[in-house]
Amino acid sequence: MAKDTKIPAYQLTYYINQIQDSTFHDLINRHRIDETCRIIQSGQFQYLTLEALAEKSGFNNRNSFSVAFKKFKGMKPSEFLKEFQRG
């Protein structure tokens, strides 16, 4: 990221940690989860299993996906899917 933005790594780290009150890992995972929710709502992932959804979202396994999803959305991904399907 530092290389792509030409901003020194220590400045990016400071910004993420202090200004965004986050870690780089959480920042990336939050973005992944937000994008996953957007795509679920568009109907593009309607036939995927949670394992496949986790993989498409950039997570190595279903468990890490579920933990991150719960952290940022306050519910399990299966609960989000059921709630979305109810409309």
Side-chain angles (χ1 to χ4, degrees):
M1 184 182 217
K3 189 177 185 181
D4 289 343
T5 62
K6 296 184 175 49
I7 297 172
Y10 74 91
Q11 287 180 338
L12 285 174
T13 300
Y14 177 83
Y15 177 78
I16 292 168
N17 292 341
Q18 300 299 315
I19 308 302
Q20 294 289 318
D21 193 28
S22 185
T23 64
F24 181 74
H25 184 73
D26 280 350
L27 187 71
I28 295 299
N29 284 343
R30 183 181 304 118
H31 176 73
R32 287 175 174 165
I33 297 299
D34 288 344
E35 183 65 10
T36 299
C37 289
R38 187 189 67 73
I39 292 172
I40 288 170
Q41 292 168 330
S42 77
Q44 292 178 327
F45 285 173
Q46 63 187 5
Y47 299 109
L48 294 181
T49 64
L50 285 179
E51 288 83 6
L53 192 56
E55 184 181 323
K56 290 264 187 201
S57 302
F59 289 89
N60 292 326
N61 58 61
R62 178 181 168 175
N63 187 55
S64 60
F65 171 67
S66 294
V67 168
F69 201 99
K70 175 106 174 149
K71 180 176 185 174
F72 298 115
K73 295 299 176 184
M75 66 178 73
K76 296 176 186 176
S78 57
E79 294 169 334
F80 181 86
L81 287 167
K82 284 178 189 172
E83 196 172 287
F84 173 72
Q85 291 168 348
R86 279 190 227 137

